[in-house]
Amino acid sequence: MPIQPNRQVSRAFAGMTGKMARSLLTLGLLMLSLPATAAEEKLLNVYNWSDYIAPDTIEKFTAETGIKVNYDVYDSNETLAAKLQAGQSGYDVVFPSASPFLAQQVKAGLYQPLDRTKITNWGSLDPAILKALQTSDPGNAHAVPYMIAATGIGFNIDKLNKLLPPGTPRDSWSLLFDPAVVSKLKGCGVSLLDAPVEVFPAALAYLGKTGASQSTEDLAAAAEVVSKIRPNIRYFHSSKYINDLANGDICLAHGYVGDLVQARNRAREAGRGVDIGIVIPKEGAILGVDVAAIPVDAPHPDNAHRFIDFLLRPAIIAAITNTVGYANAVLPARPLVKKEILADPVVYPPEAVRAKEFQVPPASPDFERVRTRAWTKVKTGH
Ligand code: SPD
């Protein structure tokens, strides 16, 4: 069907000089040749770790922007990795751990480069953290640091005092990995993270070896350590321990330190006399830096940039740190973080502790296969 000229437009053109009409026509043609920049629908799909945001963060973002947020949670890097690798996850913002996961995913092209012009708070980020992140994300092109914590041990102070011989150290991986110690805690409940990338390096640190080692001999030694204590483990899980520790249902948990801080807070709030101790073992522990990134096929990349920029506001990120017990990398947020959290040596550890923390590098496919086999064997016993 021929296109009928709009009468009003024709009348407007009729009153113009030829030059004006030609300019307007050129402008119109130019606009037609530009890529469609239709405004995104007011929707954002976020996939984050469980227990990793303040209760009002999303509400505030929606109130300010009108963007409705679908918020889903996971508790393992492997779950996120599987969704991203399958493609078309539908997620706009996700929160992988920098090493090894972000590193592998950036290499695989699973994230889109960030448009820094849309991240106005970028300049507030701690340059030391940004520099460290470059090993996983060269040039800091794809990811913004979100929350930071070591992986350590949480325990029920009274139960350990009752069950362990006087003088048993509390600041060592031996609490978990020495069969003579952990067997005494079997009855009150011991849990391990359901994550080979966390458990084997911790066992290596206990043995005095390099936690980040990728040697198959070291892996075999770590697997042997874990097999020996396996009969004392009630379960492998990466989030359930928060409530169980707080309620006194388990007495020793291998966990992400911020989650252990939440367990300690929940126990205090419940007021049932459960007192939780938290340690970053003296032999050294994994330092986890989780980042925000935008999948390459995110349906709402503009909204994603807005959300990431919103998260980096000092008041917003400080409220998250105050809720979840993880440190953040936004320097102007420091004065807004509660004094007791800033002073908590497991959340903002002193330099001597930091110096012993390490990251787990990406593994070769061969090493990953061996590690996965070792993990299945340790968990199932065959
Ligand atoms: N509930 C939040 C858990 C965050 C876990 N971060 C993973 C760090 C990996 N070392």
Side-chain angles (χ1 to χ4, degrees):
M1 194 206 285
I3 298 169
Q4 297 300 319
N6 173 308
R7 273 209 207 111
Q8 278 174 341
V9 173
S10 307
R11 267 202 299 274
F13 267 98
M16 285 178 191
T17 63
K19 201 172 165 200
M20 279 166 75
R22 266 195 307 280
S23 311
L24 258 182
L25 201 64
T26 315
L27 188 69
L29 288 174
L30 198 72
M31 284 171 72
L32 278 175
S33 69
L34 290 174
T37 53
E40 274 175 10
E41 59 180 334
K42 295 248 168 198
L43 198 61
L44 181 74
N45 302 318
V46 175
Y47 197 34
N48 195 359
W49 292 84
S50 48
D51 303 293
Y52 223 26
I53 200 150
D56 58 355
T57 312
I58 299 298
E59 205 178 295
K60 282 189 167 151
F61 177 72
T62 301
E64 184 178 309
T65 61
I67 298 170
K68 181 178 170 281
V69 178
N70 296 317
Y71 191 84
D72 292 344
V73 296
Y74 54 92
D75 69 358
S76 97
N77 271 302
E78 286 81 359
T79 306
L80 169 63
K83 292 228 163 143
L84 293 175
Q85 275 152 17
Q88 309 244 301
S89 67
Y91 291 117
D92 296 303
V93 183
V94 298
F95 296 82
S97 298
S99 198
F101 296 92
L102 174 73
Q104 288 160 336
Q105 291 157 1
V106 164
K107 271 205 188 116
L110 296 179
Y111 296 115
Q112 54 182 274
L114 295 172
D115 180 348
R116 292 245 192 112
T117 61
K118 295 180 181 158
I119 305 192
T120 59
N121 294 305
W122 183 274
S124 304
L125 288 164
D126 185 341
I129 306 280
L130 286 177
K131 188 164 173 234
L133 273 180
Q134 295 205 19
T135 337
S136 304
D137 180 25
N140 299 115
H142 303 84
V144 167
Y146 178 60
M147 294 278 129
I148 305 161
T151 306
I153 306 174
F155 55 89
N156 183 312
I157 295 176
D158 293 339
K159 290 200 177 156
L160 264 61
N161 286 346
K162 252 181 233 145
L163 295 166
L164 296 180
T168 307
R170 301 292 190 268
D171 60 350
S172 163
W173 285 116
S174 57
L175 267 184
L176 259 182
F177 294 121
D178 181 346
V181 177
V182 74
S183 58
K184 299 198 165 54
L185 305 175
K186 178 179 180 177
C188 63
V190 178
S191 75
L192 276 185
L193 284 169
D194 192 4
V197 180
E198 298 288 342
V199 175
F200 290 139
L204 285 177
Y206 164 66
L207 290 175
K209 294 179 184 278
T210 311
S213 166
Q214 307 260 311
S215 109
T216 44
E217 291 77 42
D218 284 349
L219 178 65
E224 196 183 333
V225 166
V226 186
S227 294
K228 283 197 180 136
I229 57 132
R230 174 68 184 90
N232 305 295
I233 303 303
R234 187 174 293 176
Y235 62 74
F236 291 80
H237 201 280
S238 298
S239 53
K240 179 171 149 56
Y241 61 91
I242 306 179
N243 276 338
D244 285 354
L245 206 52
N247 295 334
D249 293 335
I250 58 172
C251 61
L252 189 72
H254 174 220
Y256 303 119
V257 163
D259 289 3
L260 298 171
V261 169
Q262 290 176 54
R264 189 177 63 192
N265 292 342
R266 288 181 202 178
R268 282 179 188 155
E269 279 155 23
R272 279 192 240 107
V274 175
D275 204 0
I276 304 296
I278 303 170
V279 292
I280 300 175
K282 63 176 182 210
E283 297 90 349
I286 292 181
L287 171 67
V289 181
D290 294 336
V291 301
I294 307 177
V296 69
D297 54 1
H300 311 101
D302 280 340
N303 297 344
H305 280 87
R306 266 184 102 170
F307 184 63
I308 290 175
D309 197 35
F310 179 81
L311 288 179
L312 295 185
R313 285 191 199 163
I316 298 297
I317 199 89
I320 298 174
T321 288
N322 287 337
T323 304
V324 302
Y326 285 81
N328 67 70
V330 176
L331 294 174
R334 289 286 163 95
L336 305 173
V337 173
K338 285 182 192 159
K339 277 196 197 65
E340 63 272 25
I341 294 184
L342 268 185
D344 189 332
V346 295
V347 184
Y348 287 91
E351 198 34 52
V353 176
R354 278 246 187 264
K356 289 195 170 172
E357 292 177 346
F358 59 89
Q359 296 215 298
V360 179
S364 68
D366 278 352
F367 186 79
E368 261 186 42
R369 252 193 310 279
V370 181
R371 186 171 57 200
T372 306
R373 260 206 309 275
W375 184 241
T376 310
K377 192 163 173 215
V378 156
K379 276 180 73 179
T380 61
H382 45 79

